[in-house]
Amino acid sequence: MRDVIVVGAGAAGLAAGARLHQRGADVIVLEAAERTGGRAFTDTTSLGVPWDQGCHWLHSASVNPLRAAADELGLSYLKRGTRQARATHLGDRWADEAEREAAWRSIDAAFTAVHRAGEEGRDIAASEVMDPADPWYRLARHWMTLMSAAEPERLSTLDYAAYGDTGENYPVERGYGALVQAAAARMAPDLPVVTGCPVSLVDWSGSGVGVETPRGRLLARLAIVAVPTTVIARGGLRFAPLLPPDLAEAFEALPLGAAEKVGIRFDGDVFGVGPTSYVDTIDLRDAARRPINFVLNPFGAPMAIGQLGGDNAAGLVAAGPQAMEDFAMAALTDAFGADIRRRVTGVATTNWVSNPLIGGAYSCALPGLAPLRARLGQTLGERVMFAGEAVSPHAYSTAHGAHQTGLAAAEAALAQLTGKAA
């Protein structure tokens, strides 16, 4: 019997497993996918350059432990300034400076209103405090869905206000997913991880924990479950006995929204902008057309990465990769001309919402249910602990939040193993 089984090898599971292994515990990490990293995935093959299909920003960089890890590992990142007044294309022309400033004021006002409502203790839908009469309302909604992965109608203001953000959001040159992998390998180079090994059942009925896998039943004194909330809410991972009703309700209350990307590689610079430039697009001629924003020439690579959120992202994934490509290219050709189409050398798209092992982007609490996030911190029978971005009270939806909860779960497990638990 092992000391600990970790279920899931995303940022949380890798951190938990690495810390336990580092401290001498007999631990194994089981991952259903054929690769590790979960939503921290740097794709190095589809477009010939590394790009993050999942998490990308070192959020709250000054307090982000993965930023310190990047420094120690020599992995460079870009210290970004404000997002305000970025270039914005309006469908048939570029916005002038006054329009860019007005758009940002509207976006900022929407976020401020949502945050204020949460600070006041109001657990309501973000849409209730946004102004649909604002001329830049569609762009404000778009940014809200990018930040939360959910439409404002499904975003709790109280949960949103609990997120701690220093405003320092830095992209990692060789990929955030690569950083997550490197940080875990640095902690525990020989951490036992088994990929392609889905866990179907966590049995916590006895004095230890048993997990059912295609390799048979594995036993341990403790388990750390580090899988997305949607996997548990949909029954992709079962428990025996069943989860207590209050805990099951919490997983249901924290669904993963939709945040997807379209990566388009070109044979050279077709945009005429500097490395890692940012562009918003919104078609003022067509109110039904959803906005999309882009990172252009990231770290000098001749490509565009389109970012989609909320229902639009989910709908495009359901329609397929070609629909995602067409949507992104339509906005790019509006802004930079149809000739760029012949310069395309590769396209790649994400599909987090349709991935049965993931089920979406990152968690946000449904309106009226924000307090339920705290329930994910409980331990089942002093034998099963939970980790992952959704468990973090103030850094949810981030890789560093997941990383921190993995470390915390590992420390709690070590305390149990040594009999020092409070």
Side-chain angles (χ1 to χ4, degrees):
M1 177 182 288
R2 288 184 169 84
D3 291 328
V4 185
I5 292 172
V6 178
V7 182
L14 288 174
R19 175 58 57 83
L20 287 163
H21 188 70
Q22 187 183 53
R23 297 285 179 83
D26 182 2
V27 60
I28 189 169
V29 182
L30 306 178
E31 169 57 48
E34 297 297 335
R35 62 167 180 82
T36 60
R39 288 165 282 175
F41 173 45
T42 301
D43 176 2
T44 59
T45 59
S46 66
L47 297 176
V49 293
W51 69 288
D52 283 314
Q53 290 203 9
C55 56
H56 178 63
W57 310 104
L58 278 166
H59 291 296
S60 299
S62 61
V63 296
N64 186 332
L66 289 169
R67 189 245 182 129
D71 291 338
E72 293 165 1
L73 290 160
L75 297 177
S76 61
Y77 46 83
L78 177 64
K79 294 184 178 181
R80 301 174 61 237
T82 176
R83 293 191 300 256
Q84 294 188 28
R86 48 201 272 158
T88 303
H89 196 264
L90 305 179
D92 58 358
R93 63 181 178 85
W94 290 97
D96 60 29
E97 183 178 355
E99 289 170 317
R100 292 197 305 271
E101 293 287 353
W104 186 259
R105 284 195 299 271
S106 295
I107 294 167
D108 189 52
F111 278 95
T112 298
V114 172
H115 201 277
R116 183 184 301 117
E119 287 181 322
E120 293 170 351
R122 302 167 65 194
D123 192 356
I124 59 176
S127 57
E128 293 189 32
V129 295
M130 297 174 66
D131 181 10
D134 188 291
W136 299 102
Y137 175 67
R138 283 197 293 139
L139 198 55
R141 280 188 66 99
H142 171 65
W143 270 95
M144 193 67 68
T145 63
L146 289 180
M147 296 298 102
S148 64
E151 297 296 323
E153 289 77 12
R154 297 194 294 275
L155 171 63
S156 159
T157 55
L158 186 61
D159 193 55
Y160 174 81
Y163 178 78
D165 186 5
T166 68
E168 306 154 298
N169 303 301
Y170 302 161
V172 182
E173 182 169 8
R174 284 194 273 167
Y176 203 164
L179 169 58
V180 167
Q181 299 277 1
R186 184 173 182 271
M187 269 200 292
D190 54 351
L191 172 66
V193 180
V194 182
T195 57
C197 186
V199 173
S200 58
L201 176 72
V202 175
D203 182 353
W204 56 289
S205 62
S207 58
V209 180
V211 300
E212 298 292 343
T213 80
R215 297 170 178 247
R217 183 178 177 89
L218 303 179
L219 302 175
R221 295 171 63 186
L222 304 171
I224 295 174
V225 175
V227 302
T229 55
T230 302
V231 171
I232 293 175
R234 293 176 179 174
L237 176 61
R238 296 176 294 113
F239 293 82
L242 296 175
L243 292 178
D246 66 329
L247 187 54
E249 183 185 20
F251 281 105
E252 293 278 359
L254 295 160
L256 302 189
E260 304 287 349
K261 298 180 185 179
V262 182
I264 304 174
R265 179 79 186 266
F266 298 87
D267 63 8
D269 177 22
V270 299
F271 305 116
V273 299
T276 317
S277 295
Y278 301 91
V279 168
D280 288 344
T281 72
I282 178 173
D283 192 343
L284 297 185
R285 306 165 302 178
D286 183 359
R289 185 177 179 186
R290 299 289 289 267
I292 179 174
N293 65 318
F294 295 93
V295 182
L296 304 180
N297 298 339
F299 293 98
M303 62 186 296
I305 301 174
Q307 298 171 316
L308 305 161
D311 290 348
N312 188 44
L316 286 168
V317 168
Q322 188 62 54
M324 297 178 75
E325 177 185 346
D326 291 347
F327 185 84
M329 282 301 302
L332 287 175
T333 54
D334 280 350
F336 297 99
D339 286 348
I340 67 170
R341 290 185 182 274
R342 61 184 177 82
R343 306 281 300 277
V344 174
T345 60
V347 179
T349 60
T350 65
N351 62 342
W352 297 109
V353 293
S354 63
N355 184 333
L357 303 180
I358 304 290
Y362 30 86
S363 67
C364 61
L366 295 170
L369 302 177
L372 274 61
R373 186 182 293 278
R375 297 179 185 176
L376 300 187
Q378 66 180 270
T379 301
L380 287 179
E382 299 185 343
R383 294 186 297 285
V384 180
M385 302 154 194
F386 296 93
E389 55 86 10
V391 180
S392 176
H394 305 298
Y396 59 85
S397 80
T398 70
H400 75 272
H403 175 85
Q404 288 170 321
T405 65
L407 295 180
E411 294 294 344
L414 287 165
Q416 291 280 8
L417 294 170
T418 58
K420 297 178 182 178

